[in-house]
Amino acid sequence: DMAIIPPRPLELRRRRWTLVFSVPFTAFMAIVGAYSVFLMFTGDRLEMMIGGCSAFVALCVGGTLGKSVLDAWCITGPAVVVDQHGLHDLRSETGLIPWREIERLKLDPDEQRILVNVTKGTAGRHGSTARRLLAGGDYVVALGGLSYSHRELSNALAEYHRQGRGASAGAAETSDA
């Protein structure tokens, strides 16, 4: 009888080297936003409208990108953990999804995400039918901006899911006996 060796836990971290490109663009968006606010108060009606629209766009883009820059700079811990306990996206409030609750997983390399469908009994905690139809899963783990090996992640997800589902199936069989 051969013992099953579990795969090693994976910790997906933010790519910090992307800050080289993101910081100057964020600074540029802040300058454009400031200039646009200046235009709103110094020009005629057309310049005020253009300044208001460009300030809104610059602040939305710059604020969103600025938050991701701050996260990548300040948060050095893992963003997503795949281990024997389950799939845990530490960036969201969904929390840990144990393997026994995961019905189906799909690693989508084109969209850089993991789509997770949970069992019917736990669907209310993690998602809804509308979310499953619109997003492709009850739970979506975005992988953009994270450093990972597709092959290693795919193998770990498949093996942990197989072991987790096998353990829960075995537990269900023993409780009925």
Side-chain angles (χ1 to χ4, degrees), residues 12 17 29 33 50 68 70 72 74 78 81 115 125 151 158 165:
L12 282 56
W17 63 267
M29 285 285 107
I50 292 171
S68 67
L70 281 174
C74 298
V81 176
L115 301 172
R125 187 167 75 101
R151 185 179 51 77
R165 296 296 293 164

Side-chain angles (χ1 to χ4, degrees), residues 82-102:
V82 179
D83 62 13
Q84 70 273 15
H85 303 293
L87 182 61
H88 196 178
D89 187 350
L90 299 166
R91 302 165 298 178
S92 72
E93 295 180 13
T94 303
L96 174 71
I97 301 179
W99 295 116
R100 68 182 177 280
E101 294 181 9
I102 297 175

Side-chain angles (χ1 to χ4, degrees), residues 5-174:
I5 300 171
R8 70 181 178 87
L10 282 182
E11 292 183 346
L12 282 56
R13 297 178 182 275
R14 292 165 183 84
R15 285 184 282 203
R16 296 187 70 168
W17 63 267
T18 57
L19 292 173
V20 172
F21 305 106
S22 301
V23 170
F25 187 74
T26 302
F28 175 72
M29 285 285 107
I31 292 168
V32 168
Y35 181 70
S36 299
V37 170
F38 172 75
L39 273 182
M40 286 172 50
F41 296 108
T42 59
D44 61 6
R45 188 175 288 245
L46 178 64
E47 288 176 342
M48 189 173 83
M49 276 186 16
I50 292 171
C53 289
S54 61
F56 176 76
V57 169
L59 293 175
C60 287
V61 171
T64 303
L65 189 58
K67 182 180 179 335
S68 67
V69 164
L70 281 174
D71 286 349
W73 183 259
C74 298
I75 302 172
T76 58
V80 176
V81 176
V82 179
D83 62 13
Q84 70 273 15
H85 303 293
L87 182 61
H88 196 178
D89 187 350
L90 299 166
R91 302 165 298 178
S92 72
E93 295 180 13
T94 303
L96 174 71
I97 301 179
W99 295 116
R100 68 182 177 280
E101 294 181 9
I102 297 175
E103 183 177 280
R104 188 172 80 68
L105 279 170
K106 181 182 180 215
L107 179 56
D108 184 354
D110 296 329
E111 297 288 327
Q112 293 189 355
R113 62 188 185 165
I114 302 169
L115 301 172
V116 180
N117 289 344
V118 294
T119 56
K120 285 186 177 21
T122 59
R125 187 167 75 101
H126 296 295
S128 65
T129 304
R131 181 177 177 100
R132 187 179 281 199
L133 291 173
L134 294 173
D138 297 316
Y139 183 62
V140 178
V141 179
L143 300 174
L146 300 180
S147 180
Y148 65 96
S149 157
H150 175 78
R151 185 179 51 77
E152 190 176 358
L153 178 58
S154 178
N155 291 342
L157 287 171
E159 186 59 28
Y160 277 127
H161 186 241
R162 186 183 65 72
Q163 289 179 13
R165 296 296 293 164
S168 65
E173 289 171 12
T174 56

